[in-house]
Amino acid sequence: MTADGEAHVQTLLASMSAEQKVGQIVQADIGSVTPEDVREFHLGSVLNGGNSGPGGNDLAPARDWLALADAFYAASMDRAPGQPAIPIMWGTDAVHGHSNIVGATLFPHNVGLGAARDPALIERIGRITAIEIRVTGQEWTFAPTVTVPQDYRWGRAYEGYSSDPALVASYVGSMIRGLQGPPSTAPILAGPHVAASTKHFLADGATVDGKDQGDATVSELELRLIHGAPYIPAMENGVATVMTSFSSWQGVKISGNRGLIADILKDRMNFRGFVVTDWNAHGQVAGCSNASCPVAANAGIDMFMAPDSWRALYASTLAQVKDGTIPMARLDDAVARVLRVKQRLGLFDAGKPSARAYSGRFDLLGAPEHRAVAREAVRKSLVLLKNTGVLPLKPQAHILVAGDGADDIARQSGGWTLSWQGTGLSNGDFLGATSLWRGIEQNVAAAGGSAELAPDGKFGRHPDAAIVVFGETPYAEFQGDIPSLQLRPELRRPFATMRKLKAAGIPVVAVMITGRPLYINEALNEADAFVTAWLPGSEGAGVADLLFAGKDRAPAFDFQGRLPTAWPATARHGGPTLFPFGYGLTYADGPQPWKALSQDSQVADDGSGGGVYFDKGLATPSWSLTVSQADGGDPLRVTTVPATGLSGRASVHAADHTVQEGARQFVIAAGPAGAAVEIAAQNAVDLSRETNGDVMLLATLRLDAPPSAPVAMSVRCDGSDCGRPLHLPEFAALAPGQWRVLGVPLKCFAATGADMTRITAPFRLDTRGSLNISVSRVALGGGMEADVIAKCPLD
């Protein structure tokens, strides 16, 4: 920073009240703050979380995002005479393109980019992402993620480029230069750039058992050489901000670890920007809550990401500054760091967001030249694991495209896409994007061939070859944690499709959509060729580019992707390796012989789906479905249907939804003892992370007749009642006979007094009246998946 810039920072600091200073170190989510709040509390920053959008609409058009940016800016600059006007910063999770915005270019997630081995490509992706962010008026992205995952059971593993620290480090400077521009004293916003943030400091990829927000017990040497390595090029390239992790190192939460934040990052590594926490992560620090955490401020945190807790945190922090719990010198240092980043951005002279360069250039969102780079990134990220000679395919042939992932843009884009989990979306939400199926169809049509889409593999015309697309469904953060390295049973169904096609003499090419390497030996054995597509994003045609030959029968492009981490031979973490780090075939290698692989996963196949408690009419493993009196008496555990309980007052039958007998219908007559329908387990689960993350309990149900009395929803802790029941008017208002997804924020149960760390029954309905209802699924998820969201009255 220039001397004039530093002088401006010091002048501002000297003129600010304690209230204004505290406001600058607080960041609120746009779903929980208004422009008037920004004006009143002098807030320094806002963010949009994964499920936040203008006016509560995740899918709001780009114009609405820009208009809201202007409104927040105007509020931050509206100050009484003598008060300094300090422009607000808006942070966004643009982690694989400007991925919150409908129509933006979506690049492959980082695990795929790691396979590409192309730092120059990474810089171009960063530059395009920055330009598209600028279109909608934001100036700060929470990227790049520079984690070095060591356990791919972790639900955030796909956010890391590689398990190899050298590969990750080779990308960091390129992405930062693409986003921010090269280190310079010129304002970042003077070019097509935004502020970057490396995350999550430190060792988030080293937690025990791959548990998100867990504890990394690695040695100091491993901490430094593996997980600290990417931060060296981050410092060298002048990253503006660093985000701390939810996780711990040797039992101490990072957001409260003064040794790592103040001593290592700021002093020893000479980081001159500011440090921001992750979403309410300060509340997990020992002795803290979401509403109060002087420990984090004194450890070196410069900005609290307090999305929905900002008001209480502002009040407590102000009081702690005034009583000396947080020294004024520490507050001044934090505020000065925030102001320096704003000065470096050029915010003080940039004007309102809509008046800046690139703002409102909506033609730049998903521009053809941007999509071309994304398509190139898809081509370069694909890894060929098997080819006995079937590839490249002839585009003039008749091609069958099968598998449940073939025509699903949300699935190929993964989490952090339009919504936090990337779920609840349809292809119509992705303006200008191309599914894998459409890319294949376009390729063969252009060459005079034909293509047929049949997810279940049942074809009309006998195909010359089949492409079967399968793999993971979208997830983000802890929702993606898995107990073993394998697909859920229902996601393995395309393996049977491959087997049937092979039996019919049809060559099979398997294409896997995944955020991590998984045990899929059965699919590898069945397919004639196997391609790992990772999470390719919006440009599915990039996959077709590599599967087909050109006009001269030679492939137009060759595979260059190399595994960014080892591929497992079993589903057991730490087990034997099937393909080593760096493995990847090319067309130049020619056909390769194949020896059948063992299909012993070496782990128990529990079929766990994470936060899924009841699906297709059945309780998932370790959970049970019961009908009982309201006080828990006279319980009936429902294992088969039809079933009768409560002395004949209750009957349970099979009902159809999505599949035959995919739901259970409960017909319960009124009685003085009441009745309860409950999904429970003996061992308690900790849902505090999910509660903090604004996760909802989603119940897919059909009201078959209006209830004769109020129906309450509740949870149970350690097998007992906990918290007050929620009486939901939305429940009684459901239209009879229609399947709907009712979403209830977990925070509502916590607000009634439930201890969300000890949940044994995440779903319980009870009533004193008659009840006729069918239930298909009960799971955790996001608001995008709900048809109706409960407002949760707490009476």
Side-chain angles (χ1 to χ4, degrees):
M1 181 179 294
T2 65
D4 288 345
E6 180 62 26
H8 183 221
V9 167
Q10 296 303 323
T11 297
L12 287 171
L13 192 62
S15 66
M16 295 169 70
S17 65
E19 289 78 5
Q20 291 165 336
K21 291 177 181 178
V22 171
Q24 283 299 301
I25 68 168
V26 174
Q27 182 183 58
D29 182 76
I30 64 172
S32 302
V33 70
T34 65
E36 180 54 39
D37 292 329
V38 168
R39 180 183 296 107
E40 179 180 353
F41 293 94
H42 321 283
L43 298 183
S45 179
V46 293
L47 82 150
N48 59 282
N51 289 327
S52 298
N57 181 11
D58 279 9
L59 304 179
R63 294 180 187 278
D64 291 359
W65 291 83
L66 182 56
L68 186 58
D70 271 355
F72 280 127
Y73 174 85
S76 71
M77 300 300 285
D78 184 10
R79 291 288 172 255
Q83 290 186 345
I86 301 174
I88 200 164
M89 284 179 67
W90 183 335
T92 185
D93 279 295
V95 294
H96 65 129
H98 197 13
S99 49
N100 290 281
I101 306 299
V102 172
T105 309
L106 300 174
F107 295 94
H109 270 292
N110 284 357
V111 64
L113 297 181
R117 303 293 205 277
D118 192 338
L121 173 65
I122 299 304
E123 185 165 344
R124 286 189 285 150
I125 289 172
R127 183 180 176 90
I128 290 168
T129 301
I131 289 172
E132 296 200 12
I133 293 171
R134 292 285 296 275
V135 169
T136 55
Q138 291 73 49
E139 55 273 307
W140 178 20
T141 177
F142 303 133
T145 303
V146 299
T147 184
V148 189
Q150 299 300 294
D151 187 333
Y152 280 79
R153 292 175 294 180
W154 182 37
R156 304 196 76 155
Y158 66 82
E159 296 184 48
Y161 295 116
S162 173
S163 60
D164 178 68
L167 177 54
V168 177
S170 73
Y171 274 18
V172 175
S174 297
M175 181 58 81
I176 291 173
R177 288 191 301 273
L179 291 168
Q180 291 188 173
S184 170
T185 58
I188 290 174
L189 296 181
H193 302 301
V194 296
S197 183
T198 44
K199 63 182 187 184
H200 302 85
F201 187 85
L202 186 63
D204 54 341
T207 57
V208 175
D209 295 330
K211 183 179 179 181
D212 190 45
Q213 303 184 20
D215 186 29
T217 58
V218 298
S219 68
E220 184 173 346
L221 183 65
E222 188 174 342
L223 183 76
R224 175 168 58 88
L225 295 182
I226 295 178
H227 304 283
Y231 286 88
I232 296 172
M235 300 302 107
E236 292 172 344
N237 285 274
V239 69
T241 68
V242 169
M243 184 185 294
T244 54
S245 176
F246 281 111
S247 58
S248 308
W249 179 51
Q250 296 186 355
V252 179
K253 285 290 181 179
I254 301 296
S255 295
N257 193 319
R258 178 179 173 82
L260 290 179
I261 300 171
D263 298 342
I264 300 297
L265 179 61
K266 290 182 173 180
D267 291 345
R268 196 174 302 178
M269 300 186 75
N270 197 34
F271 174 57
R272 312 312 297 167
F274 71 78
V275 180
V276 61
T277 65
D278 207 334
W279 183 281
N280 277 332
H282 59 276
Q284 298 185 13
V285 174
C288 292
S289 68
N290 288 357
S292 175
C293 193
V295 175
N298 289 333
I301 293 297
D302 303 310
M303 182 178 285
F304 290 97
M305 186 185 291
D308 53 358
S309 59
W310 65 267
R311 193 181 297 264
L313 183 70
Y314 173 92
S316 66
T317 303
L318 180 60
Q320 290 152 7
V321 167
K322 290 185 174 181
D323 69 16
T325 302
I326 299 174
M328 182 59 75
R330 171 75 271 269
L331 177 63
D332 283 350
D333 173 60
V335 175
R337 286 174 173 270
V338 172
L339 295 178
R340 287 187 190 109
V341 170
K342 292 183 176 184
Q343 179 74 29
R344 184 179 168 199
L345 272 167
L347 272 182
F348 293 100
D349 302 311
K352 64 181 180 179
S354 63
R356 302 172 192 165
Y358 305 99
S359 289
R361 291 278 310 279
F362 302 119
D363 59 306
L364 293 175
L365 291 173
E369 59 272 24
H370 295 178
R371 292 188 183 277
V373 174
R375 185 167 175 171
E376 175 189 348
V378 174
R379 289 196 299 267
K380 290 181 173 179
S381 67
L382 303 182
V383 179
L384 181 62
L385 295 181
K386 177 183 180 181
N387 185 21
T388 59
V390 66
L391 287 178
L393 299 171
K394 297 177 181 179
Q396 300 85 1
H398 180 62
I399 304 296
L400 174 70
V401 181
D404 52 15
D407 193 26
D408 191 334
I409 300 172
R411 189 161 173 182
Q412 70 193 42
S413 298
W416 297 109
T417 304
L418 299 185
S419 69
W420 175 35
Q421 294 292 318
T423 54
L425 303 166
S426 68
N427 284 359
D429 296 320
F430 294 87
L431 301 181
T434 305
S435 70
L436 271 65
W437 149 248
R438 290 299 178 193
I440 293 166
E441 181 189 39
Q442 292 165 8
N443 187 294
V444 298
S450 59
E452 178 181 353
L453 176 65
D456 61 1
K458 296 178 181 178
F459 50 84
R461 173 185 167 191
H462 194 280
D464 297 302
I467 299 170
V468 180
V469 183
F470 74 99
E472 293 192 292
T473 52
Y475 55 84
E477 297 193 59
F478 45 81
Q479 296 277 62
D481 287 358
I482 54 176
S484 59
L485 294 169
Q486 60 184 332
L487 292 169
R488 300 194 307 271
E490 70 271 21
L491 298 180
R492 304 175 210 158
R493 291 172 186 157
F495 298 174
T497 300
M498 294 181 204
R499 191 158 45 249
K500 291 177 182 178
L501 293 169
K502 286 279 290 181
I506 300 166
V508 172
V509 177
V511 176
M512 184 177 184
I513 295 172
T514 183
R516 50 192 157 200
L518 296 171
Y519 163 78
I520 36 76
N521 287 12
E522 182 179 353
L524 279 162
N525 283 335
E526 294 294 344
D528 297 290
F530 192 103
V531 176
T532 302
W534 310 109
L535 298 170
S538 62
E539 306 312 303
V543 175
D545 287 342
L546 265 71
L547 298 184
F548 294 94
K551 294 181 180 179
D552 59 356
R553 297 189 179 182
F557 301 95
D558 201 352
F559 287 89
Q560 70 175 62
R562 300 289 181 270
L563 289 178
T565 190
W567 196 282
T570 73
R572 179 169 54 86
H573 170 70
T577 291
L578 179 59
F579 300 114
F581 167 80
Y583 181 85
L585 299 173
T586 69
Y587 284 134
D589 294 326
Q592 298 292 305
W594 184 259
K595 181 179 180 181
L597 302 171
S598 166
Q599 294 183 191
D600 178 8
S601 69
Q602 295 188 11
V603 300
D605 194 357
D606 62 7
S608 174
V612 179
Y613 309 115
F614 187 78
D615 192 32
K616 295 183 177 61
L618 297 173
T620 55
S622 79
W623 297 94
S624 61
L625 172 67
T626 61
V627 177
S628 67
Q629 295 176 169
D631 63 1
D634 194 17
L636 166 69
R637 183 177 180 185
V638 181
T639 55
T640 60
V641 289
T644 303
L646 300 181
S647 301
R649 281 198 302 120
S651 62
V652 187
H653 308 272
D656 295 340
H657 182 235
T658 68
V659 297
Q660 186 175 1
E661 298 190 1
R664 294 294 177 261
Q665 182 182 30
F666 304 87
V667 181
I668 302 174
V677 176
E678 178 178 292
I679 298 171
Q682 289 188 339
N683 297 322
V685 295
D686 182 353
L687 297 183
S688 57
R689 292 183 305 170
E690 289 83 349
T691 303
N692 178 50
D694 285 337
V695 171
M696 295 186 182
L697 183 73
L698 300 173
T700 303
L701 48 83
R702 181 185 67 195
L703 200 60
D704 294 314
S708 66
V711 179
M713 184 177 286
S714 60
V715 296
R716 304 192 89 202
C717 308
D718 291 336
S720 303
D721 293 340
C722 58
R724 300 181 303 280
L726 294 169
H727 297 284
L728 306 179
E730 294 86 357
F731 186 91
L734 294 174
Q738 296 183 14
W739 285 102
R740 306 287 281 171
V741 179
L742 174 66
V744 183
L746 294 179
K747 286 186 177 180
C748 298
F749 298 116
T752 69
D755 183 348
M756 303 306 289
T757 67
R758 303 185 298 112
I759 300 299
T760 49
F763 176 82
R764 178 181 171 87
L765 295 177
D766 64 80
T767 183
R768 298 287 173 176
S770 61
L771 183 64
N772 190 340
I773 188 174
S774 298
V775 181
S776 171
R777 192 172 194 265
V778 177
L780 301 182
M784 291 288 291
E785 301 165 79
D787 298 313
V788 179
I789 297 177
K791 295 182 180 177
C792 305
L794 303 180
D795 55 325

